[in-house]
Amino acid sequence: MIDIDQFIHSLSLLTFMAILIEAVTEILKNAFPVLKDRFTYILSILIGISLSLALQVNPFGLEGSGYYVSAVLAGILTSRGANYLNSFVKKLNTSSKQ
């Protein structure tokens, strides 16, 4: 059976991570204008994995070496979530300018 408190905690942590990844990626893109397209894609994944390992995120509850697989997958998933978040914010900004 799913523990709803654990699920909500994990979901909020992954959402927070997506927002943080997006913020850090945008800061680095502005600091280093040569970072474009593929580089920012790779950069967001690296930031996601690093953050996931630093925060010891283990959404799949794996142990041993499986923990690292779980953390890396969480980092990749949240980095992609950050990309969707960025697209959503850009659409909101475009809509408000019209």
Side-chain angles (χ1 to χ4, degrees):
M1 179 154 194
I2 296 175
D3 180 10
I4 193 72
D5 289 333
Q6 181 64 31
F7 176 76
I8 291 173
H9 175 24
S10 295
L11 187 61
S12 6
L13 180 60
L14 293 175
T15 303
F16 170 74
M17 283 180 52
I19 293 168
L20 191 56
I21 291 166
E22 179 57 31
V24 172
T25 303
E26 286 298 317
I27 289 169
L28 291 174
K29 274 178 30 180
N30 289 331
F32 304 102
V34 295
L35 296 174
K36 294 192 190 305
D37 300 328
R38 282 190 181 198
F39 291 116
T40 57
Y41 181 79
I42 293 168
L43 180 65
S44 70
I45 291 173
L46 292 175
I47 293 169
I49 292 171
S50 300
L51 189 59
S52 182
L53 289 169
L55 294 175
Q56 298 178 354
V57 176
N58 187 3
F60 304 110
L62 301 176
E63 295 179 4
S65 60
Y67 159 76
Y68 295 103
V69 172
S70 181
V72 167
L73 288 175
I76 292 170
L77 290 172
T78 52
S79 71
R80 300 315 322 134
N83 188 13
Y84 297 131
L85 179 67
N86 183 24
S87 298
F88 179 70
V89 169
K90 282 183 180 180
K91 285 181 183 178
L92 284 178
N93 285 339
T94 304
S95 298
S96 66
K97 289 180 182 179
Q98 292 178 350

